[in-house]
Structures are given as structure tokens and as C-alpha cells.
Amino acid sequence: MQAQDAQGWISYAVTAVIIGIVFAVRWRRMSVVKPLKLERLWVFPALYAAVALYMFTMYPPHGFAWLFCAIALVMGAALGWQRGKMMRITIDPDTHALNTTSSPAAVLFIVAIVAFRTGARAVIGDGHTLNLDAFAITDMLIALALGLFTTQRIEMYLRAKRMLETARVR
């Protein structure tokens, strides 16, 4: 039993170190201003939606897994909207060029999601408690990510569009 406990703690420690490294790299790159092209915001969600559609077509969820995927999609949409609101969007007053920088809150938000997932995995275990297998859990994560990526970019698009309209009026 002690060997399993030690292995569990090692797993959590490795996860924490990886999250720490990713967070440190992202934190350094947060101050970098990147141009925001409204006409390109749809590309990544569209590609991811194609991959998700392929996965759901080739390996469809069974039974209640569809319900859990729908719930995950809605949860991802809510999380994506919040993350999109946290992204900093600026507009150059002279050229009306849009720029974006990552918000520390947006990065912390992603870290919190990963920590929540890790904690849920520790509480729920391997999914047998809810009669879910690895494929069902993967399907739910695909749905969650689809909702998150899509609504994050929709929120950013709508906010940037309003900012552009306001700047052009002035």
C-alpha cells in the first residue's frame, strides 16, 4: 500500500512541476503584444471542431456519455466565455490595429482548471464510480475543449468588434 501512495505522490509532484514550468514560460510571454486579427479568430475553433466531429463520428459516445459530453460542452462554453473576458485587448488609436496580451488572470484560470481536473481525478478515480471508461472521459474532455476554444474566441471577437466601432466613431 505504501508503494502505491508513494507512486501517487510522485505522479502529483511530476504534474505540479510540469504545470509550474508551463506557467513560468507563459508568464514570461504574457507581456508580449501580439496582433489580433479578427478575421482569423475562427480558424482554430473550426479546426478543432473538425477534429471533434471526426472523433465523435468515428468513436461515438454510448449511453449517458452523450449527456456528460453535452454537459462538458456547456461547461467549456461558460469557462471559455470567462477566459475570453480575461484576455486583454487594446486598440491603437491612430491605426485602429487590435492587439492582445495574455492576462495573468487568464493563465491562472487555465491553471485552476487543470488543478480542478487533477483533483477531480483523485476524488473520482478512474471513472468506474460513474460507469465511465477512458473513451467517455476523453469524449467529455474533447467537448469541454471545443466549448472553451469556441466561446473564448467568440467573446474576444464581439468585444474587439465593439472596440473598433467605438474607436472609428471618435
Side-chain angles (χ1 to χ4, degrees):
M1 186 71 126
Q2 288 180 346
Q4 278 184 325
D5 289 342
Q7 186 179 12
W9 282 107
I10 290 171
S11 172
Y12 288 122
V14 168
T15 302
V17 168
I18 291 171
I19 289 172
I21 290 170
V22 169
F23 185 70
V25 169
R26 291 286 297 169
W27 194 270
R28 265 190 19 186
R29 293 168 59 196
M30 268 193 285
S31 61
V32 176
V33 177
K34 294 175 275 190
L36 177 64
K37 303 290 184 192
L38 289 181
E39 61 276 3
R40 292 187 189 160
L41 282 175
W42 66 272
V43 173
F44 182 72
L47 291 174
Y48 191 83
V51 169
L53 181 63
Y54 172 79
M55 293 298 291
F56 285 133
T57 302
M58 296 305 292
Y59 311 102
H62 301 285
F64 278 113
W66 279 111
L67 174 65
F68 289 127
C69 286
I71 292 169
L73 181 69
V74 171
M75 286 175 53
L79 293 172
W81 194 265
Q82 280 304 116
R83 185 161 193 270
K85 285 173 49 175
M86 291 179 192
M87 298 300 287
R88 292 183 189 154
I89 299 174
T90 58
I91 187 165
D92 184 291
D94 298 329
T95 64
H96 295 160
L98 291 165
N99 296 305
T100 185
T101 54
S102 294
S103 162
V107 175
L108 288 172
F109 189 67
I110 291 296
V111 170
I113 291 171
V114 171
F116 178 77
R117 181 191 169 277
T118 304
R121 189 177 81 201
V123 171
I124 294 173
D126 59 7
H128 292 307
T129 309
L130 297 174
N131 294 325
L132 299 172
D133 60 8
F135 293 114
I137 292 170
T138 302
D139 291 338
M140 288 184 287
L141 291 175
I142 289 170
L144 180 94
L146 178 62
L148 187 126
F149 297 145
T150 303
T151 57
Q152 174 187 347
R153 281 158 177 91
I154 289 171
E155 197 285 332
M156 291 173 67
Y157 175 84
L158 293 173
R159 188 160 38 105
K161 192 89 164 149
R162 282 192 308 268
M163 291 173 70
L164 270 177
E165 289 170 359
T166 303
R168 288 180 180 149
V169 169
R170 291 181 187 173

